[in-house]
Amino acid sequence: MKILTVCGNGIGSSLMLAMKIEEICKEENIDAQVESSDFNSAQGKNPDLIVTIKELAQQFENKRVVAIRSYVNKKKIREDVLDIIKAIQIKQQR
C-alpha cells in the first residue's frame, strides 16, 4: 500500500506525518510505503491514499483522500486514518 502525506511545502509537516503513519502501520502490522510530498507534486502522483489537512484535502479531485486534524498528534492521526488504511489493506488482499 502506498500512502502519501501532503503539506504545503512537503518538507516539514508532511514528513512528521509520514513518520507517525509509519509508526502506526508498524504497530498494526500493516505493510505500507509512506512518502511525504508538497501539494503541487502530489497532484501528479497516484498513491492508494493521500493524507493531509482539510484545507488541502478539498483540493484533490478523483483521489482517495483522508483529512486529518493534526500533523503531529499520533492519537488523532490514528483515529482519523487507521480504519481507512485497514479497509484499503483488506481490499488489496482480496
Side-chain angles (χ1 to χ4, degrees):
M1 170 185 328
K2 293 182 181 177
I3 300 172
L4 186 65
T5 61
V6 178
C7 69
N9 294 322
I11 54 175
S13 301
S14 62
L15 183 59
M16 288 188 295
L17 177 60
M19 293 169 58
K20 299 291 182 189
I21 291 177
E22 283 176 341
E23 289 175 14
I24 292 166
C25 288
K26 188 174 182 179
E27 291 167 2
E28 297 290 330
N29 291 320
I30 296 170
D31 184 25
Q33 295 175 329
V34 185
E35 179 182 333
S36 63
S37 176
D38 66 281
F39 178 76
N40 288 331
S41 297
Q43 294 289 349
K45 297 182 179 181
N46 195 23
D48 297 307
L49 179 66
I50 293 174
V51 182
T52 188
I53 57 171
K54 181 180 175 183
E55 291 78 11
L56 295 178
Q58 296 170 339
Q59 298 178 50
F60 284 100
E61 295 180 5
N62 301 319
K63 296 187 185 279
R64 181 178 277 175
V65 182
V66 63
I68 49 145
R69 294 171 285 166
S70 169
Y71 279 115
V72 294
N73 185 311
K74 189 174 174 181
K75 182 178 182 235
K76 288 182 180 178
I77 295 167
R78 177 183 289 270
E79 291 172 356
D80 292 340
V81 303
L82 187 56
D83 287 345
I84 295 168
I85 290 173
K86 284 183 174 179
I88 293 170
Q89 182 187 33
I90 290 169
K91 187 176 179 181
Q92 289 181 341
Q93 290 175 341
R94 291 183 182 171

